[in-house]
Every structure is written in C-alpha cells, then in structure tokens.
Amino acid sequence: MASTSTTTLDAALKEYYLPPAREQLNNENMMLAQIERTSRHVEGRRAVLSLHTSRNTGIGARDEGDALPTAGSQGYAEERVSLTHNYLRIKVSGQAMKATASDAGSFVRALSSEMTQGVNDLRRDINRQIFNDGNSAVAQCASVSTATVTLASNTTPEQMNQITIGAQFDIGTVTDHDAKGSELIVDSVDKAGLTVTFTTNPTSSIGATHFLYRVHAKRDADGSAADAADNAGTKELIGLQKIIAGAGTSLHNIDSSTHLTWHSTINENSGTNRAATDTLFEKVIDDIDTEAGKSPNLCVTTKGVRRNYAAQLKSMKRFNDGASLTLKGGFKALTIDCGDVSLPLVADRDCPINKAFLINTNHITQHEMSDWEWADYDGAVLRNTSGYDQWEAFMFKYHQLCTDQRNTHGLIKDLSES
C-alpha cells in the first residue's frame, strides 16, 4: 500500500469525515434540524433583510363631504445580522503520522476517534449556544474558595456536563468577561456538589454576578453604536433567549421600543412555578396568534417540564392516544391541541429550566455562508505547526440564527419540573 502523505490524509478528512460530520452537526441537533438554512441575504459578513414592522394608518370611515384620512405608509426596518464563526480544531504529531506511514488506512482509523469525539463536542456546544443569548456563559457562579468555584444552585446536570477536565474558562461579569480569571484550566469537577476546581486560583469575591464563560468566546461591549448594531458581546450564536424576548429589547439592530411589533409574547408568574397545563399553553398560543396573526408550530422545553405535562396527560388517559408526532431528524414529540393548532412539544437537554419556548420555525432561519467545511484555501487541509513536529487542521462555519418576525414566537417562564 502506498505510504501515507498529507495528500492522502487531506482526502481522508474530506471524503471520510466531512460528510458524516456535517450530518451530525446539522441534523442531530434537534433545533437546527427544524430550522431552514439559507445563504440568501448574506452580504459580506452580515445577513441584511428588510422587515415590515408597521401598517398604514391612513384608513377610516367618513361622512359624505368629510376630509379623507391622513395619508400613512407602511413601516420598514433594516435587519442586520452579524455572522458567528464556529470552529473545530484538531492536531496530530509527526510521530503519529510516521508510525502509520505504511498504511494510510491505519492512520484513518487512528484519526477516527479524534474526529468523532471532536464533532460530538462541537455538536453539544452548538446546541448550548442555540439556547443561550450569545454571551458564551456556561454556568452562573455562587462563591469561591481558593481554586474551587461553587456554581449557582439551579445549575443543571447538562451545564455541568459542559465543564470537562482540561477545558479552559474565563470568569467575569456580563461587561467584563475575565475580571476574575482568564484561561483558567479545569482540574476537577464535582457534579453533585456543583463545584469546579481549577489548576490556578481565580480572583476572590466571586458571586452571583459572575459567570463561567467559554475561553475567549465573549466580546465585552463598549457601548458604541457599532456595538449595538452588531449585537454587542456576542461571539457565539444569538440563541433563543435573546431572539424570544419581550418589549423593550433590541435584536439584530432593531429596537422594539421604536418598532412596537418587534417583540415576543412572554408569560411569567413572578418567579413562582406552576403546572404546565393545556390551558396555560392554549392562552400563550392564542396571545401569539393575536399579536402576529400566526401560531407557533413547535414547543421546546426541558425534560422535567415535559414530564410534568405528560403526567397530566396520563391522568386524563391521553398519553397513549396516538397524539404524538415525529419531527425532522426523527425526534419524537407530544402534542398540545389548541383549537385547530396541534403544537408538537419536545424536550431538549440544553433548554433552560422552568421554561418552554413556543417557536414558529417558518420565521426563524440559520443564515450561513457555507456548510461545515475544512479550511483548505491553499489546497491543503493539514498544515505544519511552525516550529513543532505537529500537523493540524480546522473545520469552520460562518452562520447565525435570525428571525424575521419576532412576534410569532413566545416564552412561558416559571413552569414546574417533575
């Protein structure tokens, strides 16, 4: 068999690993599998859309001889959506390449574990970003003792699973992401005790205003107009917690205080949790339809809220009545029936606790410059690391989540977990 070279390894990365990697990243994330992908409207480093935000007010009934209504016009706003850059980087040593130089297939097998696990890690992080607000926070802090940080009591098991030994984090506030520590390396994790111990000590006086951020993944806002236009602080995807928000919030360069329809329906209960009932879901669905003239077509919540809702269906002997759906990607869902609307309800591990997102997937899009691909601008995927006996490659995607009608979505807070 011909000896292994960077040419054969480039081919292995592209031909053997890229197609399944794309499929995992695009289709095995439940939310991404439901959302349309498009490269339309992408101009330079942004997606730019023109949105209809208000109606013509020049209407009204008059008596004979009365003056006509004052002329009005339709209202529009320009939506500017900055793209996010997500990466997966791998590295192999010259020794590993030499050890399998006589068998290209052997190297492909050796590379398989690194690629498979890397794509799994990337897929999980992309899913976390989808349910975040773009600020790269993985968990909220509570206190610190030397090198050990205790996290907030509502930190979920899935958040703890995002914190792995050897991973790097910054600790800081929303406006200063590394105020309490930069490039801190995780030494150990106690999932039950909600603690993370680092190899070096963070700064003291860490409390509830501080967060664990993905290292270098957050941009601190300086308050400038350019920051506001570019969704300040967001290096990661703009997730559902920012897209689906109430009045007075800005998104994609549009201020809902000026464009009064540019907000979502938010239903909350002042911090007191309540059962996830049909009546509650029906009310929010009706409220969204009143605001937007359209109903959501997907409800995403936590496993605990889904159990709470399913328990009520069981008591009414509705759980096994066939009212379930299969979504894109093979994901199973219960259904919420409201008039002529049958809304699929599905759980996602990264959904924030005590919440349910009601989404119209026809009005949320993943804008992208391209699909996931290996960087090979000079014709080679594997490149030598200057000064080292190492070879590396990286996969990338430039993309962003965007809605073109914010009032077609809703959020229910303060739901009980079972």
Side-chain angles (χ1 to χ4, degrees), residues 171-173 176-182 184 201-207 210:
I171 299 180
T173 64
D176 189 354
H177 72 281
D178 57 359
K180 298 296 182 177
S182 176
L184 297 169
N201 295 350
T203 305
S204 61
S205 302
I206 290 176
H210 301 104

Side-chain angles (χ1 to χ4, degrees), residues 309-326:
Y309 180 69
Q312 299 171 68
L313 301 188
K314 290 176 183 177
S315 67
M316 295 181 288
K317 300 185 184 300
R318 284 182 47 202
F319 188 73
N320 295 315
D321 65 357
S324 62
L325 296 174
T326 301

